[in-house]
Amino acid sequence: FRSNGIPCTSDKNICADLPAQWGFTGHIVDDCPGIAGLLGHRAAHDIEEAIALGINAGIDRQFYDFIGDVPNQIAGQDRFEQILLKLVREGKVAESRINEAAGRVLRQKFMLGLFDNPLVDLDAAGKAADDPAHRALAREAAVKGIVLLKNEGSLLPLDISQLTHIAVIGPNAAEGQLGDYS
């Protein structure tokens, strides 16, 4: 996505300046394929330039962008870290920028108490993650959010056994929006 013609992942205003103005004390996370997406936006010539742009703009942490997104160029987080180290050695990303990013991530981990008791009770975690009340709430949210249409005349849900055609009308009828999230 772009802001004023600049992909958000490489926009220092969005990734660093605005969060600072708003008093944001967390860390900026790039969800995939933000940094690798800079290649698709033609904002970077190669993956090294894309990583430098993202990190220098203010991305503190990135999720796994690269598995399958950039064939034959990068093979996961280890490769990302190798490239980042190379960029620091070449002076294309300042070591102080890496320290700043690491500091933000570590600060939040300390605030969450993750270093107070680093051992996890796997049974308790499993029970919390598979709590029936949480599943029921997730299902209710999914059911209520799945149809974003006004149900005039009890048209929905459609009886697909009676349909031969469905018209998709509107600005995105011919093509989907950019990205996996549309």
Side-chain angles (χ1 to χ4, degrees):
F1 299 100
R2 291 180 178 259
S3 166
N4 297 324
I6 301 169
C8 293
T9 307
S10 64
D11 190 338
K12 186 177 181 296
N13 182 54
I14 289 175
C15 296
D17 298 342
L18 284 175
Q21 283 178 330
W22 296 336
F24 179 72
T25 59
H27 64 278
I28 304 296
V29 178
D30 165 45
D31 196 3
C32 51
I35 288 177
L38 293 172
L39 295 171
H41 284 292
R42 296 183 181 9
H45 293 96
D46 57 28
I47 199 64
E48 289 184 14
E49 184 180 10
I51 291 170
L53 284 170
I55 298 300
N56 288 331
I59 300 294
D60 295 319
R61 179 175 167 221
Q62 68 93 42
F63 290 133
Y64 298 90
D65 257 358
F66 307 108
I67 298 170
D69 287 311
V70 185
N72 302 319
Q73 286 196 30
I74 195 158
Q77 188 67 16
D78 290 342
R79 182 80 174 114
F80 177 88
E81 291 165 359
Q82 290 170 5
I83 291 173
L84 191 54
L85 182 58
K86 178 179 184 257
L87 293 169
V88 170
R89 287 180 177 149
E90 292 174 352
K92 295 178 181 174
V93 172
E95 184 176 345
S96 61
R97 175 67 196 101
I98 302 304
N99 291 339
E100 175 187 46
R104 287 183 184 157
V105 173
L106 289 171
R107 178 181 178 274
Q108 284 198 297
K109 288 183 177 190
F110 275 108
M111 289 176 66
L112 289 168
L114 297 179
F115 297 108
D116 297 336
N117 184 7
L119 302 177
V120 174
D121 180 345
L122 294 178
D123 290 332
K127 287 176 186 172
D130 197 25
D131 182 283
H134 296 165
R135 286 186 174 273
L137 180 60
R139 181 172 176 75
E140 179 184 354
V143 167
K144 287 182 176 179
I146 199 159
V147 178
L148 302 176
L149 302 171
K150 189 172 182 182
N151 192 11
E152 290 181 359
S154 297
L155 177 65
L156 302 171
L158 299 173
D159 180 1
I160 60 170
S161 67
Q162 303 294 316
L163 297 175
T164 57
H165 296 83
I166 295 177
V168 178
I169 301 167
N172 293 315
E175 59 184 75
Q177 294 181 359
L178 176 66
D180 298 355
Y181 300 98
S182 56

